[in-house]
Amino acid sequence: LVRKEGIRSAGSVVIEPTFPWAEEFSEGLAHVQISGEALGYDAKWGFIDKTGKIVIGPEFKDTFGGKYNIGSDDSGDSFHNGLAVVEVNGKKGFIDKTGNLTIPAEFTYAYPFSEGLAAVTKSKSGDEGWGYIDTAGRYVIPPQFEWGSSFQDGLAPVNRVHNCGYIDKTGAYVLHPPVSTAETDCGTVWGDFVDGLARWKVGNKYGFIDRSGKMVIEPKFDLAFHFSEGLAAVKIDGKWGYIDKTGKIVIEPMTLRNADDFHHGVAFVTTTDVRYGYIDRAGRYIWTPTLLYNDTR
């Protein structure tokens, strides 16, 4: 398998496909599987540089990663703000780019750093006591939320007893868009702000709000992800397409299992028969969908 971490946009191989699985580069390093069955429980993971050299060996257990959600654009194991989430004895902490554990593993759950802060909790259930730490491991926003996600564009989605909204970096609620009375899970309602827009669920449909809470793209999609490079993946009648920031469909919906964000002009997509490929901004395949080499599905 060669993912875009080992290819240039034209498709030429720059790092030979020697790893069972590889994720995207972030801050100069890529999270890769070094040994074991591809995406298996015996997998050992580390980090390589852009020459393909292993710079951090498989000393820690991973916490998120594409191995548990094939085809997702999950970057939970990647470096952000110079730090990456790892697991030690069942607890989460953060390593730096030399592999040193710079923030002790004392959290039950932890999100990657974003804009200098990371959402963390020491609560056993994870449904209370979320707060935000800085890159030194100090609480900037004390634990107080039922759940909190990452900061984007200066705002982070949080909830307190299903009180869905957004906080600023002081921890103050600054945005409370209306939520359907029957809604019980804020995580399925809000999304991250990217380029000034965030998805928001109204009834059983998704649209997009701006930073004032105004609905600027009508809620008419079955599912929606955040914008990346000016496009957002949306699901319509069981098919995935992409819209621009005006809500116009620019890539017509296709029969896909999943559609990821655009990076460097291409998006990673998964077909319904679990094959993986890349499309360009016109919706054309530049990497023909391919079955994972040891996947018998």
Side-chain angles (χ1 to χ4, degrees):
L1 172 70
V2 180
R3 298 190 69 201
K4 63 184 170 190
E5 294 76 26
I7 60 174
R8 298 190 191 278
S9 57
S12 59
V13 176
V14 294
I15 297 176
E16 292 298 324
T18 57
F19 303 104
W21 192 261
E23 297 174 358
E24 293 184 8
F25 273 91
S26 177
E27 299 186 358
L29 298 179
H31 187 232
V32 299
Q33 184 179 338
I34 296 172
S35 64
E37 182 180 356
L39 308 175
Y41 287 104
D42 62 341
K44 300 293 185 181
W45 294 73
F47 290 87
I48 60 171
D49 63 19
K50 290 188 175 181
T51 70
K53 177 184 176 182
I54 296 172
V55 294
I56 299 176
E59 300 175 20
F60 301 99
K61 184 177 179 181
D62 302 294
T63 57
F64 294 97
K67 55 192 176 296
Y68 296 122
N69 192 8
I70 302 172
S72 76
D73 192 32
D74 191 349
S75 57
D77 286 312
S78 300
F79 275 92
H80 301 274
N81 297 163
L83 299 171
V85 184
V86 295
E87 183 175 310
V88 180
N89 298 325
K91 296 290 186 179
K92 276 65 173 179
F94 294 83
I95 59 170
D96 63 18
K97 290 184 179 180
T98 69
N100 289 326
L101 190 67
T102 58
I103 297 179
E106 57 185 7
F107 306 105
T108 305
Y109 299 101
Y111 275 92
F113 274 91
S114 178
E115 300 184 2
L117 298 176
V120 297
T121 182
K122 295 181 181 180
S123 133
K124 290 183 179 180
S125 63
D127 62 0
E128 60 182 17
W130 281 84
Y132 290 82
I133 59 171
D134 62 17
T135 54
R138 299 173 300 222
Y139 275 106
V140 174
I141 301 174
Q144 59 190 280
F145 304 106
E146 185 179 356
W147 185 25
S149 191
S150 300
F151 274 93
Q152 298 288 343
D153 282 3
L155 298 176
V158 299
N159 70 289
R160 186 186 287 122
V161 192
H162 303 305
N163 183 14
C164 310
Y166 292 85
I167 59 169
D168 63 17
K169 290 187 178 181
T170 70
Y173 271 94
V174 294
L175 191 56
H176 265 116
V179 178
S180 300
T181 55
E183 196 63 59
T184 60
D185 184 0
C186 290
T188 65
V189 176
W190 40 233
D192 294 331
F193 271 95
V194 178
D195 295 336
L197 297 178
R199 76 170 189 180
W200 194 262
K201 186 179 180 184
V202 178
N204 61 353
K205 297 292 183 180
Y206 288 88
F208 287 83
I209 58 173
D210 63 17
R211 289 174 60 90
S212 71
K214 178 183 177 182
M215 186 68 67
V216 294
I217 297 178
E218 181 184 353
K220 58 183 177 180
F221 308 109
D222 300 324
L223 187 57
F225 295 144
H226 60 244
F227 279 89
S228 177
E229 298 186 358
L231 299 178
V234 295
K235 194 173 187 179
I236 306 172
D237 296 329
K239 296 182 178 182
W240 285 97
Y242 290 83
I243 60 171
D244 64 18
K245 292 178 67 177
T246 70
K248 177 185 176 181
I249 294 176
V250 294
I251 297 178
E252 289 295 325
M254 300 177 284
T255 301
L256 296 170
R257 181 176 180 175
N258 194 51
D260 285 359
D261 296 343
F262 269 89
H263 296 284
H264 307 293
V266 298
F268 184 55
V269 298
T270 310
T271 62
T272 54
D273 59 350
V274 199
R275 294 174 185 267
Y276 309 103
Y278 293 92
I279 59 172
D280 63 17
R281 294 176 65 90
R284 299 179 298 239
Y285 280 105
I286 64 167
W287 188 281
T288 304
T290 306
L291 191 69
L292 185 61
Y293 72 89
N294 67 341
D295 196 328
T296 59
R297 288 174 290 185

